[in-house]
Amino acid sequence: MSKLNRALMVVLLVCGPMTSGSAENISGDNTRSLDGQVQEIKSDVLNIASELSNLEERLLYPSGTQIAVFVSMAEAEKFRLDAVQIEINGELATHHIYSFNELEALQKGGVQRLYTGNIPSGDHQLNVTMIGKLKNGTDFNASDSFVIAKGIKPKALGITLSRPDSGSSGIKVGDW
Amino acid sequence: MFRAPLSLTGLLLLACLATSPSQSDELKDLYFGEALYYAHQGDFFAALERLDTEVKQHAGLDEPELDSLYFHMNDAEFSLGDFELRYRMHHRAGRAIRAVLEGAVDERVRNDAAYRLARIHFQKGQMEDATRALERIEGKVPESIRDDIEFLRANIYLAQGRPADSVTVLKRLQNSDGYGGFAAYNLGIAYLQEGQQQAAKQQLERAGQIPTSDTAELAIRDKSNLVLGTIFLESGEYDKAIPFLNRVSLDGPFSNQALLSSGWANLSIENLERAVVPWSILAEREVTDRATQEAMLALPYAYGKLNIHGRAAVHYGKALESFSAEVGKLNTSIESIRAGKFLEALIREEIRKDKDWVIRLRSLPETPETYYLMELLASHDFQTGLQNFLDLADLRRKLISWQASFDSFDDMVAIRHNHYEPLLPEVDTHFRELDSRMRLRIEQHKMLVRRRDDLLTTPRPEFLATRGEQAVLKRLEQIETQAQSRDSALGESVKTRIKRLKGLLTWTLETEYHERFTEFDRNLRGLDEAMAVVEAQYDQYVRARQAATHSYVGYEKPISRLRANVRSSIKKVDSLMARQGHELEVVAIEELRARRSHLENYGDKARFALADSYDRATQAQAKIGEKQ
């Protein structure tokens, strides 16, 4: 029994970073070879994904009519964003409810592509609504309207959200 | 260095990496921001797809400085390498970071890249390359990675068998905020590797008493105490081992091993009652743990030594029963893996949402006993294989969904084709007519604009005569020509009248010239506006016409190429999944067999010891009877 214990301890002490257990020795080389092939197929699939995205964009959202709406949070904003709704010319374009991970990604500086669609060139009415909760626990529901001009180029709109206060809705829209 | 610190180091490195998709102060490129959005959620495939496309598009621009990504290029290339690393694409990650290193970048950026490259090599076990990458660091180093670099350097030295160098580096890191506990422990290991037993013991003792509330540091503190206790145990200094083993917290990851060793240390100094305490605790814990299984035999062994043979027999019986049940479970697990249930369970998406998903696998019906695979699951090669298998399963899901979308694309293109094809010839014919008329008007407009510009420099009042005035002038000139011929019967009075009329007309044209020119200019400006509207409509029509064609022409080849690529990728993924899956199954079965053999061996010992304990208990009973 004592020998068994000691053997365990020896294993505990002498295992270096490059020495491996029995299971690893069985498959180490094969794993590395497979790993290389897996990396290759990942690269292939990424290329396919990129090409497919381009194709989809060309097919579904031609540049002349394309509008993409992106959402980001103003720097250092920590309020809880629950949902955002976008209406274009009074029609619901999209409504998104945020998960914890998505909210955290926005708070860390990520930008979410919330909507991609088609509109004709000219002026359009954009209504943005955000629903959330302030740090003090107060629920809020803020909306704002904007007029956006669509030209012949694809339109990319950036919506920046911050905590609403008495003077402003906390929703800003800008061209990118 | 021990395996556990290495894995902790790895975890720590990954944790640092997870927080570092760096960004400039102000985000100027939406698409880079979009990639970060996915990266922050751990979806590195989506992040890579977006950022890779964006960086490639940027590289193809004639004037990249006008592109919004220009402001983030260093960050973007860095992040690309980072995402590739996180998506376990080390080959590409290395290339991306090397590209940054070789580019004309700021010293801090280059040093950061060199550090990341070194980290990739370290994770791949390429210590020489990792050292070379670190040697490229010179000049200004970003404050945020100074300790990271030094800690990595110390770990590389340890892995290279250069403990003295590692000691020098680790000594400097003892007060580091981020690495204090880890550096303290690794310093002890470096001394140990160097053969400085006494220094190692002192250092490990220090590392085992570091005040902290951080979970990772608490674990490393326990680890320090366990290792130090084990060193004393190995050198036969059992009484010295006990206090360190007792310091290991009872609910930490090293508690089972510490309890087991504490029991052995006490037993070795004949402190049998004390040995029973830790083993009694341990014997009630998770039965699949190696230490628990050993304690289940050690505990009755101690009771036997205490001459409590009846209780020893009961515990041996319990152990025997437990081992038999576990052998049964292991047999079922092996069968379950052979039937492919293990791989099926691994790729079930819903279970992976939990961070302890591997443990939760056992809650699924017909899945193997994953507690027995925990050690295996923690090993680097198995982890690589497992992650690859899961990544392949994700890729397969994506490819299958894309494959389904090609039929929709085909339908969409066909519907557009059927809609536009009959319409467009008629539209084109009509357009050609309008086009020629429009071109004529455009030319006329241009001519009028030229005339106005000429009139500005060289006034020509006759150009602004009305149609009636022009007719009168023409008639007067005709009459004048007639009057000047020899045969003319027209008298001087007529000629005088013609002259007077012409003078009157010239008077009108000259005196009204500015007014007429202003009117002409106003009308022309009105025409300019109308022409601009016409031209805009013309352009809009041309774009709409092109868009109509582009909506269904030119998709056949890319769709069929992509369809073929997806099909062939699915085949490759299937083949790789089969190989990877088989390998995982073989290794898992191998591990379970080893554990089964171990348990069978324990079972034999328990069976023999049980019989022996019964005999001794019976003899003891008989002796008591005889005495009575």
Side-chain angles (χ1 to χ4, degrees):
Chain A
M1 194 73 74
S2 175
K3 275 183 186 171
L4 178 78
N5 181 45
R6 286 177 185 216
L8 276 170
M9 289 304 160
V10 171
V11 168
L12 183 72
L13 274 168
V14 300
C15 274
M18 293 301 109
T19 56
S20 309
S22 60
E24 292 167 61
N25 286 336
I26 291 167
S27 58
D29 291 341
N30 197 17
T31 299
R32 276 183 279 280
S33 142
L34 261 174
D35 187 44
Q37 291 178 53
V38 172
Q39 289 189 48
E40 274 172 34
I41 191 78
K42 280 180 179 175
S43 194
D44 290 349
V45 178
L46 272 168
N47 288 339
I48 292 175
S50 174
E51 220 179 311
L52 195 61
S53 296
N54 283 338
L55 181 80
E56 259 177 354
E57 200 169 300
R58 271 173 54 206
L59 199 56
L60 304 178
Y61 312 110
S63 60
T65 55
Q66 187 188 113
I67 179 169
V69 181
F70 294 84
V71 168
S72 63
M73 283 179 85
E75 214 174 304
E77 282 292 357
K78 292 289 172 201
F79 68 91
R80 196 183 85 190
L81 178 67
D82 290 333
V84 169
Q85 180 172 301
I86 305 283
E87 284 177 1
I88 298 176
N89 301 325
E91 296 281 327
L92 177 67
T94 186
H95 179 92
H96 187 82
I97 297 171
Y98 287 88
S99 68
F100 174 75
N101 281 347
E102 287 171 334
L103 178 59
E104 207 176 47
L106 284 179
Q107 284 169 341
K108 283 180 181 171
V111 180
Q112 178 199 17
R113 184 193 285 251
L114 186 61
Y115 173 73
T116 311
N118 294 298
I119 54 169
S121 50
D123 285 352
H124 301 271
Q125 184 79 23
L126 178 83
N127 295 326
V128 183
T129 305
M130 66 165 166
I131 300 166
K133 199 185 262 285
L134 298 176
K135 262 191 142 181
N136 62 12
T138 317
D139 290 323
F140 70 85
N141 186 331
S143 293
D144 216 335
S145 294
F146 307 87
V147 174
I148 52 165
K150 170 77 178 82
I152 53 170
K153 287 182 178 174
K155 180 87 175 170
L157 279 177
I159 298 177
T160 311
L161 304 176
S162 50
R163 195 178 52 253
D165 54 40
S166 53
S168 98
S169 63
I171 302 168
K172 280 185 190 164
V173 171
D175 275 332
W176 284 74
Chain B
M1 202 164 94
F2 297 3
R3 184 185 300 179
L6 180 73
S7 58
L8 278 169
T9 307
L11 284 176
L12 208 68
L13 287 171
L14 281 177
C16 295
L17 201 59
T19 56
S20 63
S22 48
Q23 48 177 308
S24 298
D25 293 333
E26 192 192 346
L27 189 71
K28 291 191 169 66
D29 188 273
L30 275 181
Y31 304 96
F32 180 43
E34 195 188 2
L36 289 177
Y37 177 72
Y38 286 106
H40 289 315
Q41 292 177 71
D43 186 353
F44 293 100
F45 183 92
L48 267 176
E49 186 225 317
R50 276 154 185 82
L51 191 55
D52 202 22
T53 309
E54 185 66 358
V55 168
K56 276 180 190 158
Q57 279 178 3
H58 178 83
L61 293 176
D62 292 333
E63 294 177 293
E65 63 279 5
L66 299 180
D67 184 34
S68 52
L69 188 65
Y70 181 75
F71 303 100
H72 303 288
M73 257 328 268
N74 287 336
D75 277 348
E77 282 180 339
F78 249 4
S79 299
L80 206 56
D82 242 1
F83 300 166
E84 284 165 348
L85 195 61
R86 299 296 306 273
Y87 193 49
R88 296 165 289 278
M89 294 176 73
H90 298 101
H91 296 325
R92 270 177 53 156
R95 276 201 293 275
I97 293 174
R98 258 180 234 111
V100 176
L101 267 176
E102 278 149 26
V105 291
D106 180 72
E107 205 168 58
R108 287 165 191 269
V109 175
R110 197 178 53 247
N111 286 338
D112 198 352
Y115 162 63
R116 292 184 196 214
L117 186 62
R119 200 170 53 186
I120 293 173
H121 287 307
F122 177 74
Q123 284 175 344
K124 289 162 79 178
Q126 298 161 343
M127 299 306 158
E128 295 301 320
D129 292 331
T131 308
R132 267 195 292 279
L134 283 186
E135 280 166 2
R136 298 178 79 155
I137 295 176
E138 53 188 11
K140 290 176 189 165
V141 176
E143 179 73 36
S144 58
I145 59 163
R146 273 183 203 161
D147 286 356
D148 299 343
I149 292 171
E150 292 310 302
F151 191 66
L152 178 63
R153 194 190 305 278
N155 285 336
I156 293 170
Y157 287 149
L158 271 179
Q160 285 177 321
R162 295 165 60 186
D165 293 329
S166 186
V167 164
T168 312
V169 178
L170 286 166
K171 273 183 180 170
R172 293 200 296 263
L173 277 175
Q174 292 307 296
N175 294 321
S176 160
D177 288 340
Y179 289 104
F182 297 94
Y185 173 78
N186 278 8
L187 182 58
I189 301 307
Y191 278 132
L192 209 58
Q193 210 181 71
E194 208 186 357
Q196 292 193 49
Q197 286 280 328
Q198 197 49 39
K201 286 174 186 170
Q202 284 168 358
Q203 181 56 36
L204 285 171
E205 189 171 352
R206 268 196 293 275
Q209 294 184 74
I210 282 178
T212 180
S213 56
D214 177 70
T215 319
E217 282 201 325
L218 282 172
I220 207 73
R221 196 170 71 180
D222 280 353
K223 179 87 178 160
S224 305
N225 285 316
L226 176 64
V227 170
L228 187 52
T230 309
I231 292 170
F232 282 122
L233 194 67
E234 284 299 301
S235 59
E237 297 170 273
Y238 307 113
D239 47 346
K240 283 188 182 171
I242 294 168
F244 297 107
L245 294 170
N246 289 347
R247 276 186 198 165
V248 177
S249 62
L250 276 175
D251 50 3
F254 302 105
S255 61
N256 287 1
Q257 193 56 51
L259 286 169
L260 184 66
S261 298
S262 172
W264 286 119
N266 280 301
L267 190 88
S268 305
I269 54 172
E270 298 298 322
N271 201 346
L272 299 171
E273 287 87 353
R274 290 271 177 153
V276 166
V277 178
W279 284 342
S280 298
I281 299 169
L282 185 54
E284 296 302 317
R285 290 195 171 184
E286 172 56 47
V287 70
T288 56
D289 188 88
R290 283 178 197 270
T292 304
Q293 290 171 355
E294 190 177 332
M296 289 173 83
L297 287 183
L299 179 63
Y301 177 73
Y303 281 132
K305 284 260 189 186
L306 285 165
N307 289 324
I308 312 174
H309 298 293
R311 194 175 290 180
V314 170
H315 281 282
Y316 277 129
K318 207 172 150 188
L320 188 58
E321 197 181 317
S322 188
F323 295 157
S324 303
E326 289 306 305
V327 168
K329 276 192 208 168
L330 282 167
N331 283 333
T332 315
S333 292
I334 290 169
E335 285 313 309
S336 152
I337 293 173
R338 281 189 182 132
K341 304 284 180 196
F342 181 47
L343 298 183
E344 273 175 31
L346 284 180
I347 57 173
R348 281 175 69 157
E349 213 169 352
E350 75 278 11
I351 200 156
R352 272 188 282 150
K353 295 198 188 307
D354 192 315
K355 68 182 171 61
D356 297 323
W357 66 275
V358 174
I359 296 168
R360 280 194 57 210
L361 278 177
R362 72 197 317 239
S363 62
L364 296 176
E366 297 181 78
T367 50
E369 188 54 80
T370 43
Y371 271 112
Y372 280 107
L373 299 174
M374 292 309 287
E375 275 179 47
L376 183 65
L377 286 162
S379 73
H380 178 70
D381 278 357
F382 192 85
Q383 267 296 320
T384 305
L386 179 61
Q387 283 302 331
N388 279 343
F389 184 76
L390 298 176
D391 287 344
L392 287 168
D394 282 338
L395 289 184
R396 191 173 195 283
R397 267 193 286 272
K398 285 189 171 75
L399 288 164
I400 295 288
S401 80
W402 295 342
Q403 199 174 35
S405 64
F406 290 129
D407 289 342
S408 314
F409 290 161
D410 281 342
D411 284 351
M412 209 180 289
V413 170
I415 290 166
R416 288 176 183 176
H417 176 272
N418 294 341
H419 172 72
Y420 284 119
E421 274 300 295
L423 287 178
L424 288 178
E426 198 184 327
V427 170
D428 285 344
T429 310
H430 190 53
F431 174 70
R432 272 195 292 276
E433 283 169 24
L434 282 172
D435 186 45
S436 58
R437 279 164 60 189
M438 240 196 82
R439 282 178 196 283
L440 180 67
R441 296 292 174 228
I442 288 169
E443 282 311 310
Q444 284 174 337
H445 176 247
K446 280 182 186 165
M447 190 267 287
L448 287 171
V449 169
R450 270 200 306 276
R451 179 161 290 181
R452 182 200 47 200
D453 294 347
D454 289 346
L455 288 176
L456 277 172
T457 50
T458 320
R460 298 282 298 272
E462 68 276 17
F463 280 6
L464 298 180
T466 63
R467 199 165 283 178
E469 287 166 345
Q470 280 174 2
V472 169
L473 193 63
K474 199 176 174 186
R475 181 72 188 127
L476 284 173
E477 278 169 356
Q478 278 173 356
I479 297 169
E480 195 175 27
T481 314
Q482 279 175 12
Q484 281 168 356
S485 71
R486 287 178 198 163
D487 307 333
S488 173
L490 297 173
E492 275 304 312
S493 63
V494 173
K495 287 179 185 172
T496 309
R497 281 182 70 193
I498 290 170
K499 220 179 243 178
R500 200 182 304 132
L501 284 171
K502 273 183 80 177
L504 184 65
L505 201 57
T506 306
W507 169 263
T508 308
L509 291 176
E510 289 283 349
T511 54
E512 291 180 10
Y513 176 73
H514 290 295
E515 197 182 321
R516 289 183 180 208
F517 184 74
T518 306
E519 180 68 17
F520 171 57
D521 185 57
R522 189 165 45 241
N523 288 338
L524 196 56
R525 283 179 195 278
L527 187 60
D528 284 348
E529 284 169 20
M531 288 307 291
V533 172
V534 168
E535 279 178 19
Q537 280 178 346
Y538 181 87
D539 289 344
Q540 200 175 341
Y541 169 79
V542 171
R543 279 195 302 276
R545 174 67 184 83
Q546 280 173 349
T549 309
H550 288 164
S551 71
Y552 69 93
V553 173
Y555 291 100
E556 203 179 322
K557 277 187 185 170
I559 290 177
S560 79
R561 188 182 61 247
L562 276 169
R563 199 194 292 269
N565 286 348
V566 166
R567 202 180 298 127
S568 115
S569 294
I570 289 175
K571 272 188 192 164
K572 278 188 204 163
V573 167
D574 281 345
S575 148
L576 285 171
M577 271 185 87
R579 282 173 59 197
Q580 187 73 74
H582 177 68
E583 189 179 299
L584 291 174
E585 284 177 342
V586 167
V587 176
I589 288 174
E590 201 66 34
E591 174 74 5
L592 293 183
R593 274 185 182 158
R595 295 298 302 271
R596 184 179 61 186
S597 156
H598 197 69
L599 274 173
E600 283 168 349
N601 185 26
Y602 273 9
D604 291 343
K605 284 182 177 165
R607 203 170 290 113
F608 174 76
L610 174 65
D612 186 55
S613 293
Y614 268 129
D615 284 349
R616 287 174 192 268
T618 314
Q619 282 169 15
Q621 200 72 34
K623 273 182 191 169
I624 292 166
E626 277 171 23
K627 277 182 189 169
Q628 282 174 346

